Amino acid sequence: MSAAALRFTDLRCGYGDTVVVRGVGGLAQTGRVLGVVGRNGVGKSTLLKALAGFLPLLGGQLHWQGQDLTRVPAHARLQAGIAYAPQENVVFGELSVAENLWLHLPDRRGARYAAALAAFPRLEERLRQRAGLLSGGERKLLSFTRTLGLQAPLSMLDEPTEGVQPENIDRMAALVNAAKAAGRGFVVVEQNLAFIEQNLAFIEQIADEVLVLDHGACVFAGDFAALGRQALERHLQV
Ligand SMILES: Nc1ncnc2c1ncn2[C@@H]1O[C@H](COP(=O)(O)OP(=O)(O)OP(=O)(O)O)[C@@H](O)[C@H]1O
Ligand SMILES: [Mg+2]
């Protein structure tokens, strides 16, 4: 097994007696982006919640850098180097934008947010405002910025571009690619195929590998380039 990798095998997870994700396996590596795509309700967020430790596994195995994570709780997964930005409830609305960014970080100095705040001046202007006053897209940007700033070896982002303005989606892609070049890895759930930069959607700008889900099962896994735009569109058509 390659050293800094999250390997999952034959995962089963769901809610109560309802199994939503079954038999799904994959490999997320540092320095790479694994895209997870599929239509509404196929189980993308359920898979990410299970990988992050917010849903118990009903079956399957999960290893990170050779360590068995199957029964390791969510907070310990973050300490082990796996960050997670959920699809919903992404910020603490009563706290300021700055407090949201620094909440879990004992050392408040440093340049960990400099690149993202330069890319998103609207956030920088509003550092002292309550995060609850931000628009939905701005909240997603704040959540993205906070997660990126953790500089975790692996970050899992659930539909980070939902509601975000196109020019900012481009900047998000550039920031992910810079973090990737610095050796960090990502698992990114996406559904938005709108063309942004040079006829490439966000996920096309960043993904190296891809996992396509349908009805909770994996229907394609492999190189993103091997999937191709047409197949991608077909998998996402309602
Ligand atoms: N907390 C929950 N309790 C029970 N069922 C749930 C819960 N959350 C999701 N589900 C169900 O699990 C299935 C998969 O949902 P999930 O949110 O994983 O899909 P998704 O692929 O992320 O969809 P979307 O693209 O809309 O975000 C759906 O049928 C959904 O209704
Ligand atoms: Mg979802």
Side-chain angles (χ1 to χ4, degrees), residues 7 27 68 86 134 137 146 169 176 211:
R7 185 184 291 276
L27 179 69
D68 186 351
L134 299 176
R146 180 177 61 194
I169 296 178
V176 168
L211 208 158

Side-chain angles (χ1 to χ4, degrees), residues 131-209:
L133 298 175
L134 299 176
S135 73
E138 288 166 345
R139 274 180 245 180
K140 291 292 275 199
L141 269 188
L142 173 55
S143 169
F144 171 81
T145 297
R146 180 177 61 194
T147 308
L148 208 69
L150 292 176
Q151 301 178 341
L154 187 72
S155 298
M156 303 197 291
L157 314 176
D158 195 343
E159 299 209 31
T161 69
E162 219 173 12
V164 175
Q165 291 177 335
E167 70 263 28
N168 283 336
I169 296 178
D170 264 353
R171 294 177 188 143
M172 292 169 83
L175 287 163
V176 168
N177 282 330
K180 200 164 90 165
R184 294 196 280 280
F186 295 85
V187 180
V188 180
V189 169
E190 265 287 310
Q191 252 203 96
N192 176 9
L193 284 188
F195 289 130
I196 315 287
E197 177 77 10
Q198 296 173 351
N199 280 353
L200 290 177
F202 177 69
I203 196 71
E204 293 174 298
Q205 293 183 53
I206 61 173
D208 300 290
E209 286 85 31

Side-chain angles (χ1 to χ4, degrees), residues 83-152:
Y84 167 55
Q87 186 173 1
E88 317 276 354
N89 302 326
V90 290
V91 302
F92 297 100
E94 294 305 314
L95 301 183
S96 71
V97 170
E99 285 166 335
N100 268 277
L101 291 176
W102 292 108
L103 192 61
H104 301 295
L105 298 167
D107 175 10
R108 298 191 164 221
R109 297 181 302 275
R112 62 175 68 235
Y113 292 121
L117 289 177
F120 312 127
R122 283 285 288 166
L123 277 189
E124 183 149 45
E125 285 161 19
R126 304 177 82 179
L127 281 173
R128 285 171 212 276
Q129 274 187 26
R130 273 181 49 220
L133 298 175
L134 299 176
S135 73
E138 288 166 345
R139 274 180 245 180
K140 291 292 275 199
L141 269 188
L142 173 55
S143 169
F144 171 81
T145 297
R146 180 177 61 194
T147 308
L148 208 69
L150 292 176
Q151 301 178 341

Side-chain angles (χ1 to χ4, degrees), residues 20-24 37 42-43 211-220:
V20 171
V21 168
R22 55 184 87 74
V24 173
V37 304
V42 296
L211 208 158
V212 183
L213 293 184
D214 196 6
H215 292 89
C218 178
V219 293
F220 179 91

